[in-house]
Amino acid sequence: LFEGPVKMITDESVTGILQPETSFEGKITFSGTFKIGGYFKGEVISGGTLIIDEGARVEANINVGEVVLKGQL
């Protein structure tokens, strides 16, 4: 049973996407919500929400307000 706050995230609320079948190495900064669906290696900095989608692979230093983990970190 989960008793914490629930935040609904829709595709319309995502402000940036790294698509599946895409790879990127470097630094990502964003505001709002950013979704990683492919491979990312590097650093992620934001006060917003980072979504690591199913099938995604992330090797990174992450400093964000919130993480939604569906993939591999």
Side-chain angles (χ1 to χ4, degrees), residues 27-31 34 43-46:
K27 181 177 179 180
I28 295 175
T29 59
F30 63 91
S31 60
F34 190 88
E43 184 177 18
V44 183
I45 300 172
S46 175

Side-chain angles (χ1 to χ4, degrees), residues 13-33:
S13 66
V14 174
T15 55
I17 300 175
L18 181 67
Q19 295 284 359
E21 306 300 322
T22 304
S23 61
F24 178 73
E25 290 189 32
K27 181 177 179 180
I28 295 175
T29 59
F30 63 91
S31 60
T33 302

Side-chain angles (χ1 to χ4, degrees), residues 8 17 33 57 61:
M8 297 299 294
I17 300 175
T33 302
R57 200 168 121 232
N61 293 321

Side-chain angles (χ1 to χ4, degrees), residues 2-73:
F2 178 74
E3 295 183 13
V6 175
K7 179 179 178 182
M8 297 299 294
I9 299 174
T10 63
D11 285 342
E12 293 81 29
S13 66
V14 174
T15 55
I17 300 175
L18 181 67
Q19 295 284 359
E21 306 300 322
T22 304
S23 61
F24 178 73
E25 290 189 32
K27 181 177 179 180
I28 295 175
T29 59
F30 63 91
S31 60
T33 302
F34 190 88
K35 185 190 308 189
I36 297 177
Y39 171 76
F40 174 73
K41 182 176 182 177
E43 184 177 18
V44 183
I45 300 172
S46 175
T49 301
L50 174 66
I51 301 170
I52 300 174
D53 214 1
E54 283 186 55
R57 200 168 121 232
V58 176
E59 299 177 38
N61 293 321
I62 298 173
N63 185 359
V64 297
E66 179 177 43
V67 174
V68 177
L69 182 59
K70 298 178 184 178
Q72 185 178 12
L73 179 63

